[in-house]
Amino acid sequence: MTNAKRFSMVGFGILLFLFIFLPAANAQSGDAYKVGTSSLVVRSAPASNSEIIGQLSQGQTVIVFKEQHGWAMTYYAGKEAWVASQFLVADSQQSTDSGETVHKPSNDYIAVAADGVNLRTGPGTNHQVIGSALHGDTYKLTGTKGDWHRIVLGDGTTAWIAAWLTSPTNVHQTTRQTKATNTSQSNGTQTKRASLAGYNIVLDAGHGGKDPGALGLDGLREKDLTLSTANRVRDVLQSEGATVVATRSGDEFLSLDKRVQISNSYKTDAFISLHFNAYPTMTVRGVSTHYYSNGGNDMALAQSIQTALMQHVNMPNRGIHQSDYHVLRTNSDLAVLVELGFITNQYDAGNIQTNQYQTDVANAIADGLKTYFN
C-alpha cells in the first residue's frame, strides 16, 4: 500500500470517528432531562414556527446543552435541534412514592419564589400538573415530603409544590386566587341568593372542525382549548341553576352566522363566546373581555365578567374592549367575547391547559353573570 493511500485511509478514519463520537462527547457536557408530556415536537430552531424535524415520547431522555427564551438545545439525528423547555423535567429531580414520611411543617405559610411554578397532585415531577403559581403567592403549608411541600389551595383541596422554589414567610395571607374562592365559599348565604336559576346562557366554544383557530406553542390549537374550557363552564353554570345551550359540543365547524343564529333562536339572556389569543411577540400575555355597544348592557356584562376573572385567575388584566366581532355585532342578544390567555406565551400556554385554570375560569364567568343579573 502506498503512503498516499495510507494517509487517505487514516484521514477518512479520523473523520468517521469524529462524525460518530463527537455528538456523544458533547452530550456528556450537557444536562439530562426527561420528556414530561405525551408527545414533544422537535424543531430546527428555537421558534414555534420553525421546521418540525421529529418527535419525542414521554419518558425519553434529552441531553440539553443550553437554553434560550424557553427553548432547550439538544441533538436529534446527529443535528442541532430545539424543544420547548417547559415540557422537560430534570432527570435528577424525578421523584416517586417512596414511602417517605410527610413531616409537619414548622412554618404555617410559604411564599412562591419564582413565576410559573407548577402545582402537582403528588410530591414529585412525575405527578400531574393541576395549576401554577406566581412569584409572591403565599399558601398555607400542611406538610413536607422530601423536597416537596403540601399546600392548601383556594377551594380547600391540597397540592404539592417544589420546596426549592419557595421560602418561609410569616405573612399569613393567601394568594388572590385563594382569596376569591374562599370569599365565595364563606359567604354561602350570598352565593345561594345570587343563583342563575331561570337564565338561559348560550355558550360558544370558538372555532372547531376545519377551523383550528390560533396555533400556539408545541402544536396547541385554540379550538381544542375553547371546547374543553366551554365544557367546564357549562358544568358550573348548570350547577348554579342556569339553562346552557352550547353552539358546539364536539370538534365541528360552525360559521359565525350559524353561531349567532343559535343564540337568536332561543330566549337567550346572555351569549358568551370563549377564545384564546396569539401574538408574534411571545412575551405578550393576559385576559380580556370584549363587547360591541359602547355604554350598553353588553359593556356592563363585559366589565362584570372581567372583574370576576381577575379575582379568580393569576393572569395580567388586559381590560375590556369595544370590538367589532361578527358574533357580537350581528347578535340581537346580550353578548360578550372572552379572550382567556395567549397560547403563544410560555406561562399562559402551560397554565390554560390545566384543570385548575379552566375551573377557575368557569367559576369566574358564573360569578360575573350572577353579579350582572342580580
Side-chain angles (χ1 to χ4, degrees):
M1 182 180 292
T2 66
N3 288 336
K5 287 183 177 179
R6 285 193 183 96
F7 284 125
S8 177
M9 292 189 67
V10 170
F12 176 76
I14 292 173
L15 288 174
L16 183 62
F17 175 86
L18 291 174
F19 178 78
I20 294 175
F21 293 105
L22 187 57
N26 285 344
Q28 293 175 3
S29 65
D31 296 320
Y33 291 79
K34 286 191 180 296
V35 177
T37 185
S38 59
S39 179
L40 182 59
V41 171
V42 182
R43 297 185 180 273
S44 61
S48 57
N49 59 351
S50 61
E51 179 186 5
I52 296 175
I53 60 175
Q55 202 165 33
L56 299 172
S57 300
Q58 188 164 24
Q60 282 189 264
T61 299
V62 178
I63 305 300
V64 173
F65 300 96
K66 66 178 180 180
E67 293 193 45
Q68 177 180 316
H69 306 304
W71 293 89
M73 193 275 279
T74 185
Y75 282 92
Y76 187 85
K79 297 180 180 179
E80 181 179 309
W82 296 82
V83 296
S85 60
Q86 71 188 93
F87 300 107
L88 299 178
V89 291
D91 208 7
S92 61
Q93 293 176 354
Q94 290 292 315
S95 300
T96 58
D97 292 327
S98 58
E100 296 175 65
T101 303
V102 178
H103 301 287
K104 186 177 180 181
S106 57
N107 294 86
D108 290 333
Y109 287 79
I110 55 96
V112 180
D115 275 334
V117 178
N118 287 329
L119 305 178
R120 298 181 181 272
T121 57
T125 53
N126 58 316
H127 291 276
Q128 180 186 356
V129 175
I130 57 174
S132 60
L134 295 176
H135 184 277
D137 286 350
T138 60
Y139 294 94
K140 182 173 178 58
L141 182 61
T142 63
T144 299
K145 182 176 181 180
D147 291 328
W148 294 82
H149 287 326
R150 185 175 61 196
I151 58 175
V152 179
L153 302 180
D155 59 1
T157 61
T158 60
W160 292 83
I161 189 170
W164 64 90
L165 296 175
T166 69
S167 60
T169 180
N170 292 322
V171 179
H172 288 199
Q173 63 182 23
T174 54
T175 64
R176 176 174 46 175
Q177 172 185 323
T178 306
K179 282 183 184 175
T181 307
N182 285 344
T183 299
S184 174
Q185 291 175 339
S186 63
N187 197 354
T189 304
Q190 182 177 354
T191 301
K192 290 179 180 179
R193 187 167 59 245
S195 157
L196 291 174
Y199 290 100
N200 299 321
I201 310 299
V202 173
L203 206 54
D204 177 43
H207 309 283
K210 64 181 182 181
D211 173 17
L215 299 177
L217 297 178
D218 205 43
L220 280 179
R221 300 184 301 184
E222 183 183 4
K223 70 172 184 177
D224 299 327
L225 292 167
T226 57
L227 183 59
S228 61
T229 305
N231 288 339
R232 194 65 56 88
V233 175
R234 175 203 62 204
D235 292 344
V236 171
L237 294 184
Q238 288 178 338
S239 72
E240 296 285 353
T243 299
V244 180
V245 176
T247 58
R248 68 179 180 100
S249 57
D251 187 16
E252 56 188 302
F253 173 78
L254 288 176
S255 68
L256 298 179
D257 285 331
K258 181 63 176 178
R259 296 169 192 267
V260 174
Q261 181 184 351
I262 291 172
S263 178
N264 295 161
S265 297
Y266 292 87
K267 188 178 181 299
T268 300
D269 294 297
F271 171 94
I272 301 173
S273 188
L274 303 180
H275 289 261
F276 292 89
N277 235 323
Y279 198 73
T281 303
M282 297 173 68
T283 56
V284 176
R285 51 187 298 252
V287 172
S288 59
T289 306
H290 301 255
Y291 61 95
Y292 179 69
S293 302
N294 191 24
N297 291 333
D298 51 348
M299 179 180 177
L301 176 60
Q303 185 61 70
S304 182
I305 288 177
Q306 183 69 16
T307 298
L309 282 166
M310 290 303 96
Q311 293 172 343
H312 281 267
V313 302
N314 287 318
M315 297 279 266
N317 184 358
R318 298 181 65 86
I320 65 171
H321 303 271
Q322 184 180 17
S323 303
D324 191 26
Y325 292 124
H326 186 91
V327 293
L328 304 182
R329 183 183 68 253
T330 64
N331 202 328
S332 60
D333 297 316
L334 179 66
V336 296
L337 183 148
V338 188
E339 295 278 8
L340 292 167
F342 283 76
I343 59 177
T344 46
N345 173 269
Q346 183 177 359
Y347 175 77
D348 280 14
N351 197 22
I352 62 186
Q353 296 179 75
T354 65
N355 292 334
Q356 181 67 50
Y357 181 78
Q358 294 180 12
T359 298
D360 290 341
V361 165
N363 288 327
I365 290 176
D367 283 355
L369 287 168
K370 286 188 289 186
T371 298
Y372 174 82
F373 286 127
N374 293 280

